[in-house]
Protein backbone atom coordinates (compact mmCIF):
# COMPACT_ATOMS: atom_id res chain seq x y z
CA UNK A 1 0.00 0.00 0.00
CA UNK A 2 2.78 2.45 0.93
CA UNK A 3 4.57 1.69 -2.35
CA UNK A 4 1.39 2.45 -4.30
CA UNK A 5 0.98 5.81 -2.56
CA UNK A 6 4.62 6.63 -3.26
CA UNK A 7 4.17 5.77 -6.91
CA UNK A 8 0.96 7.79 -7.06
CA UNK A 9 2.79 10.79 -5.63
CA UNK A 10 5.58 10.42 -8.22
CA UNK A 11 3.05 10.11 -11.05
CA UNK A 12 1.17 13.15 -9.79
CA UNK A 13 4.35 15.21 -9.58
CA UNK A 14 5.29 14.10 -13.10
CA UNK A 15 1.78 14.97 -14.33
CA UNK A 16 2.12 18.52 -12.98
CA UNK A 17 5.68 18.99 -14.23
CA UNK A 18 4.78 17.62 -17.66
CA UNK A 19 2.00 20.20 -17.98
CA UNK A 20 4.48 23.07 -17.74
CA UNK A 21 7.50 21.39 -19.35
CA UNK A 22 9.44 23.71 -21.65
CA UNK A 23 7.96 26.92 -20.22
CA UNK A 24 10.11 29.66 -18.74
CA UNK A 25 8.24 29.77 -15.41
CA UNK A 26 7.75 26.02 -15.10
CA UNK A 27 5.57 25.00 -12.14
CA UNK A 28 5.35 28.65 -11.05
CA UNK A 29 2.53 28.85 -13.64
CA UNK A 30 0.48 27.07 -10.98
CA UNK A 31 0.50 30.35 -9.09
CA UNK A 32 0.84 32.77 -12.01
CA UNK A 33 -2.27 31.62 -13.92
CA UNK A 34 -4.88 31.97 -11.16
CA UNK A 35 -3.22 35.17 -9.90
CA UNK A 36 -3.42 36.66 -13.40
CA UNK A 37 -7.08 35.68 -13.76
CA UNK A 38 -7.99 37.13 -10.35
CA UNK A 39 -6.36 40.44 -11.24
CA UNK A 40 -8.10 40.47 -14.63
CA UNK A 41 -11.48 39.85 -13.01
CA UNK A 42 -10.84 42.63 -10.52
CA UNK A 43 -9.84 45.06 -13.28
CA UNK A 44 -12.51 44.19 -15.86
CA UNK A 45 -15.54 43.40 -13.69
CA UNK A 46 -14.75 45.51 -10.65
CA UNK A 47 -13.09 48.66 -11.99
CA UNK A 48 -14.09 48.93 -15.68
CA UNK A 49 -17.58 47.42 -15.78
CA UNK A 50 -18.34 48.33 -12.12
CA UNK A 51 -20.40 45.16 -11.77
CA UNK A 52 -22.26 44.56 -8.49
CA UNK A 53 -23.87 41.48 -7.06
CA UNK A 54 -27.15 43.10 -6.20
CA UNK A 55 -27.29 41.26 -2.87
CA UNK A 56 -27.89 42.60 0.57
CA UNK A 57 -24.20 42.20 1.33
CA UNK A 58 -23.11 44.34 -1.61
CA UNK A 59 -22.67 48.08 -1.39
CA UNK A 60 -21.88 50.77 -3.91
CA UNK A 61 -18.25 50.72 -2.82
CA UNK A 62 -17.75 46.98 -3.31
CA UNK A 63 -15.77 47.39 -6.50
CA UNK A 64 -13.66 44.25 -5.88
CA UNK A 65 -16.42 42.07 -4.50
CA UNK A 66 -17.64 40.79 -7.84
CA UNK A 67 -14.13 39.65 -8.78
CA UNK A 68 -13.80 37.57 -5.61
CA UNK A 69 -17.33 36.24 -6.02
CA UNK A 70 -16.69 35.21 -9.62
CA UNK A 71 -13.30 33.70 -8.77
CA UNK A 72 -14.81 31.61 -5.95
CA UNK A 73 -17.40 30.15 -8.31
CA UNK A 74 -14.81 29.38 -10.96
CA UNK A 75 -12.65 27.54 -8.43
CA UNK A 76 -15.29 24.81 -8.10
CA UNK A 77 -16.05 24.76 -11.83
CA UNK A 78 -12.42 24.69 -12.98
CA UNK A 79 -11.57 21.85 -10.59
CA UNK A 80 -14.37 19.71 -11.99
CA UNK A 81 -13.50 20.75 -15.55
CA UNK A 82 -9.91 19.57 -15.02
CA UNK A 83 -11.18 16.08 -14.16
CA UNK A 84 -13.81 15.96 -16.90
CA UNK A 85 -11.33 16.90 -19.62
CA UNK A 86 -8.44 14.69 -18.48
CA UNK A 87 -10.21 11.55 -17.27
CA UNK A 88 -11.48 10.22 -20.65
CA UNK A 89 -7.89 9.96 -21.95
CA UNK A 90 -6.01 8.89 -18.83
CA UNK A 91 -6.08 5.11 -19.41
CA UNK A 92 -5.14 5.45 -23.08
CA UNK A 93 -2.28 7.85 -22.35
CA UNK A 94 -1.00 5.66 -19.49
CA UNK A 95 -1.51 2.42 -21.43
CA UNK A 96 1.97 1.09 -20.60
CA UNK A 97 1.44 1.57 -16.89
CA UNK A 98 -1.92 -0.14 -17.06
CA UNK A 99 -0.75 -3.17 -19.04
CA UNK A 100 2.92 -3.59 -18.14
CA UNK A 101 3.26 -2.64 -14.49
CA UNK A 102 1.98 -4.01 -11.15
CA UNK A 103 0.34 -0.64 -10.46
CA UNK A 104 -3.31 -1.13 -9.44
CA UNK A 105 -5.47 0.22 -12.31
CA UNK A 106 -7.63 2.14 -9.85
CA UNK A 107 -4.68 4.46 -9.17
CA UNK A 108 -4.60 5.98 -12.67
CA UNK A 109 -7.96 7.83 -12.50
CA UNK A 110 -6.69 9.44 -9.28
CA UNK A 111 -4.17 11.48 -11.30
CA UNK A 112 -6.59 14.08 -12.74
CA UNK A 113 -8.30 14.28 -9.35
CA UNK A 114 -4.95 14.91 -7.68
CA UNK A 115 -4.03 17.60 -10.20
CA UNK A 116 -7.40 19.28 -9.69
CA UNK A 117 -6.74 19.31 -5.94
CA UNK A 118 -3.37 21.00 -6.43
CA UNK A 119 -4.84 23.63 -8.77
CA UNK A 120 -7.76 24.28 -6.42
CA UNK A 121 -5.47 24.57 -3.41
CA UNK A 122 -3.42 27.29 -5.09
CA UNK A 123 -6.55 29.17 -6.21
CA UNK A 124 -8.20 29.00 -2.78
CA UNK A 125 -4.99 30.26 -1.17
CA UNK A 126 -4.95 33.24 -3.53
CA UNK A 127 -8.63 33.95 -2.90
CA UNK A 128 -8.14 33.90 0.87
CA UNK A 129 -5.18 36.26 0.53
CA UNK A 130 -7.28 38.51 -1.71
CA UNK A 131 -10.12 38.55 0.82
CA UNK A 132 -7.77 39.27 3.73
CA UNK A 133 -6.16 42.18 1.85
CA UNK A 134 -9.66 43.59 1.32
CA UNK A 135 -10.52 43.09 4.99
CA UNK A 136 -13.13 40.40 4.16
CA UNK A 137 -11.34 37.40 5.64
CA UNK A 138 -13.77 35.01 7.36
CA UNK A 139 -12.11 33.02 10.22
CA UNK A 140 -14.46 30.03 9.75
CA UNK A 141 -14.40 30.19 5.97
CA UNK A 142 -11.86 27.41 5.48
CA UNK A 143 -13.56 25.19 8.09
CA UNK A 144 -16.90 25.47 6.25
CA UNK A 145 -15.22 25.13 2.85
CA UNK A 146 -13.54 21.77 3.60
CA UNK A 147 -16.78 19.69 3.66
CA UNK A 148 -17.74 21.08 0.25
CA UNK A 149 -14.23 20.30 -0.98
CA UNK A 150 -14.82 16.72 0.16
CA UNK A 151 -18.06 16.60 -1.81
CA UNK A 152 -16.28 18.03 -4.85
CA UNK A 153 -13.66 15.29 -4.57
CA UNK A 154 -16.36 12.60 -4.37
CA UNK A 155 -17.94 13.95 -7.56
CA UNK A 156 -14.48 14.16 -9.17
CA UNK A 157 -13.70 10.54 -8.27
CA UNK A 158 -17.06 9.44 -9.67
CA UNK A 159 -16.40 11.22 -12.97
CA UNK A 160 -12.76 10.08 -13.05
CA UNK A 161 -13.53 6.36 -12.70
CA UNK A 162 -16.55 6.43 -14.99
CA UNK A 163 -15.07 8.55 -17.76
CA UNK A 164 -11.64 6.91 -17.61
CA UNK A 165 -12.97 3.49 -18.52
CA UNK A 166 -15.65 4.78 -20.91
CA UNK A 167 -13.02 6.86 -22.69
CA UNK A 168 -11.25 3.70 -23.83
CA UNK A 169 -14.31 2.73 -25.89
CA UNK A 170 -15.71 6.18 -26.71
CA UNK A 171 -12.93 8.41 -27.96
CA UNK A 172 -15.51 11.05 -28.82
CA UNK A 173 -15.82 11.77 -25.11
CA UNK A 174 -12.62 13.83 -25.27
CA UNK A 175 -14.11 16.04 -27.99
CA UNK A 176 -17.47 16.29 -26.28
CA UNK A 177 -16.18 17.60 -22.97
CA UNK A 178 -15.25 21.21 -23.97
CA UNK A 179 -18.70 22.06 -25.42
CA UNK A 180 -20.43 20.23 -22.58
CA UNK A 181 -18.41 22.23 -20.07
CA UNK A 182 -19.40 25.45 -21.82
CA UNK A 183 -23.06 24.49 -21.48
CA UNK A 184 -22.51 23.54 -17.84
CA UNK A 185 -20.87 26.90 -17.18
CA UNK A 186 -23.74 28.83 -18.77
CA UNK A 187 -26.56 26.93 -17.03
CA UNK A 188 -24.98 27.39 -13.61
CA UNK A 189 -24.88 30.64 -11.59
CA UNK A 190 -21.11 30.99 -11.92
CA UNK A 191 -20.62 34.09 -14.06
CA UNK A 192 -23.95 35.66 -13.07
CA UNK A 193 -25.88 35.84 -9.77
CA UNK A 194 -28.97 33.68 -9.40
CA UNK A 195 -30.88 36.85 -8.54
CA UNK A 196 -30.71 38.07 -12.18
CA UNK A 197 -32.37 34.88 -13.46
CA UNK A 198 -36.10 35.35 -14.15
CA UNK A 199 -38.20 33.81 -11.40
CA UNK A 200 -39.85 31.41 -13.85
CA UNK A 201 -36.47 29.75 -14.53
CA UNK A 202 -34.98 29.77 -11.03
CA UNK A 203 -36.66 26.44 -10.18
CA UNK A 204 -34.39 24.74 -12.73
CA UNK A 205 -31.35 25.52 -10.62
CA UNK A 206 -32.72 23.40 -7.77
CA UNK A 207 -31.84 20.35 -9.89
CA UNK A 208 -28.36 21.58 -10.78
CA UNK A 209 -25.80 20.05 -8.34
CA UNK A 210 -23.06 22.37 -9.59
CA UNK A 211 -25.18 25.39 -8.67
CA UNK A 212 -25.44 24.15 -5.07
CA UNK A 213 -21.73 23.29 -4.95
CA UNK A 214 -20.76 26.75 -6.16
CA UNK A 215 -23.11 28.40 -3.68
CA UNK A 216 -21.59 26.24 -0.92
CA UNK A 217 -18.09 27.39 -1.85
CA UNK A 218 -19.14 31.03 -1.92
CA UNK A 219 -21.10 30.92 1.31
CA UNK A 220 -18.15 29.36 3.14
CA UNK A 221 -15.24 31.29 1.69
CA UNK A 222 -16.86 34.69 1.19
CA UNK A 223 -19.43 34.85 4.01
CA UNK A 224 -18.24 32.28 6.57
CA UNK A 225 -21.57 30.41 6.38
CA UNK A 226 -22.23 26.69 6.03
CA UNK A 227 -25.15 25.56 3.87
CA UNK A 228 -26.26 22.38 5.65
CA UNK A 229 -29.11 21.42 3.35
CA UNK A 230 -27.01 21.87 0.23
CA UNK A 231 -24.15 19.89 1.76
CA UNK A 232 -26.29 16.93 2.81
CA UNK A 233 -28.03 16.75 -0.58
CA UNK A 234 -24.72 16.95 -2.43
CA UNK A 235 -23.14 14.35 -0.16
CA UNK A 236 -25.88 11.82 -0.92
CA UNK A 237 -25.74 12.49 -4.64
CA UNK A 238 -21.93 12.41 -4.77
CA UNK A 239 -21.79 9.13 -2.84
CA UNK A 240 -24.30 7.52 -5.20
CA UNK A 241 -22.38 8.88 -8.21
CA UNK A 242 -19.12 7.46 -6.88
CA UNK A 243 -20.70 4.05 -6.39
CA UNK A 244 -21.90 4.14 -10.00
CA UNK A 245 -18.54 5.34 -11.34
CA UNK A 246 -16.66 2.68 -9.38
CA UNK A 247 -19.04 -0.04 -10.61
CA UNK A 248 -18.54 1.05 -14.23
CA UNK A 249 -14.78 1.03 -13.77
CA UNK A 250 -14.70 -2.47 -12.26
CA UNK A 251 -17.26 -3.84 -14.71
CA UNK A 252 -15.54 -2.58 -17.89
CA UNK A 253 -11.88 -2.71 -16.91
CA UNK A 254 -11.18 -6.18 -18.34
CA UNK A 255 -12.70 -5.22 -21.71
CA UNK A 256 -10.74 -1.96 -21.63
CA UNK A 257 -7.49 -3.87 -21.16
CA UNK A 258 -8.37 -5.99 -24.21
CA UNK A 259 -9.15 -2.93 -26.34
CA UNK A 260 -5.91 -1.22 -25.33
Amino acid sequence: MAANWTLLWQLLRHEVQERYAGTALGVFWLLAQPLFMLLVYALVFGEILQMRLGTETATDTDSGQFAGWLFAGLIAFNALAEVLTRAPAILTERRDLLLNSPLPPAVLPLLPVGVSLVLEGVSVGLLLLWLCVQGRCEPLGVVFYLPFLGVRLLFSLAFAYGLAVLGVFLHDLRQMMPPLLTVLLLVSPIVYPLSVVPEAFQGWFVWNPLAHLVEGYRAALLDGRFLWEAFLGLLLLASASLALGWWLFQHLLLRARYVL
Side-chain angles (χ1 to χ4, degrees):
M1 181 63 77
N4 289 337
W5 282 111
T6 302
L7 184 55
L8 174 62
W9 168 251
Q10 292 174 344
L11 288 172
L12 178 61
R13 190 171 61 178
H14 176 72
E15 185 87 4
V16 173
Q17 291 175 338
E18 188 178 56
R19 175 182 299 237
Y20 304 106
T23 62
L25 294 181
V27 293
F28 286 104
W29 276 113
L30 277 172
L31 179 64
Q33 285 179 329
L35 178 61
F36 176 75
M37 294 310 301
L38 181 56
L39 293 177
V40 168
Y41 296 152
L43 176 64
V44 175
F45 294 109
E47 299 299 330
I48 299 177
L49 298 180
Q50 295 288 303
M51 295 190 71
R52 302 290 185 268
L53 296 177
T55 66
E56 59 184 9
T57 58
T59 70
D60 290 340
T61 58
D62 288 330
S63 61
Q65 190 179 15
F66 192 89
W69 177 89
L70 177 59
F71 194 73
L74 286 173
I75 287 175
F77 175 80
N78 288 338
L80 283 174
E82 171 69 24
V83 176
L84 291 171
T85 53
R86 286 286 295 126
I90 193 67
L91 292 187
T92 304
E93 292 178 359
R94 305 296 180 181
R95 177 179 177 276
D96 289 341
L97 281 172
L98 179 65
L99 300 180
N100 304 317
S101 78
L103 182 73
V107 170
L108 292 177
L110 297 181
L111 290 177
V113 180
V115 173
S116 74
L117 186 60
V118 173
L119 297 176
E120 179 169 335
V122 174
S123 295
V124 169
L126 280 174
L127 177 62
L128 293 176
L129 182 61
W130 169 266
L131 294 174
C132 289
V133 169
Q134 290 193 322
R136 300 176 185 275
C137 191
E138 294 289 342
L140 293 177
V142 175
V143 175
F144 293 154
Y145 152 74
L146 290 177
F148 282 95
L149 170 62
V151 167
R152 200 279 290 171
L153 289 175
L154 289 180
F155 275 120
S156 296
L157 288 170
F159 289 131
Y161 281 117
L163 293 176
V165 74
L166 289 176
V168 176
F169 307 98
L170 305 172
H171 291 182
D172 289 354
L173 277 177
R174 304 173 203 175
Q175 309 304 322
M176 290 170 56
M177 284 304 146
L180 283 176
L181 285 169
T182 301
V183 173
L184 189 61
L185 176 68
L186 294 178
V187 300
S188 303
I190 296 174
V191 296
Y192 54 84
L194 189 57
S195 58
V196 304
V197 178
E199 190 175 348
F201 297 101
Q202 290 195 5
W204 293 7
F205 291 87
V206 175
W207 304 102
N208 184 346
L210 181 58
H212 295 288
L213 183 65
V214 166
E215 291 303 315
Y217 270 49
R218 284 173 174 153
L221 293 170
L222 302 181
D223 302 328
R225 295 184 294 116
F226 187 69
L227 304 182
W228 282 101
E229 292 185 358
F231 171 72
L232 292 177
L234 288 172
L235 182 60
L236 289 175
L237 182 60
S239 300
S241 300
L242 179 55
L244 176 61
W246 178 254
W247 179 83
L248 274 176
F249 186 78
Q250 294 294 332
H251 188 67
L252 297 176
L253 183 60
L254 279 179
R255 296 185 200 177
R257 283 178 178 271
Y258 180 77
V259 171
L260 289 172

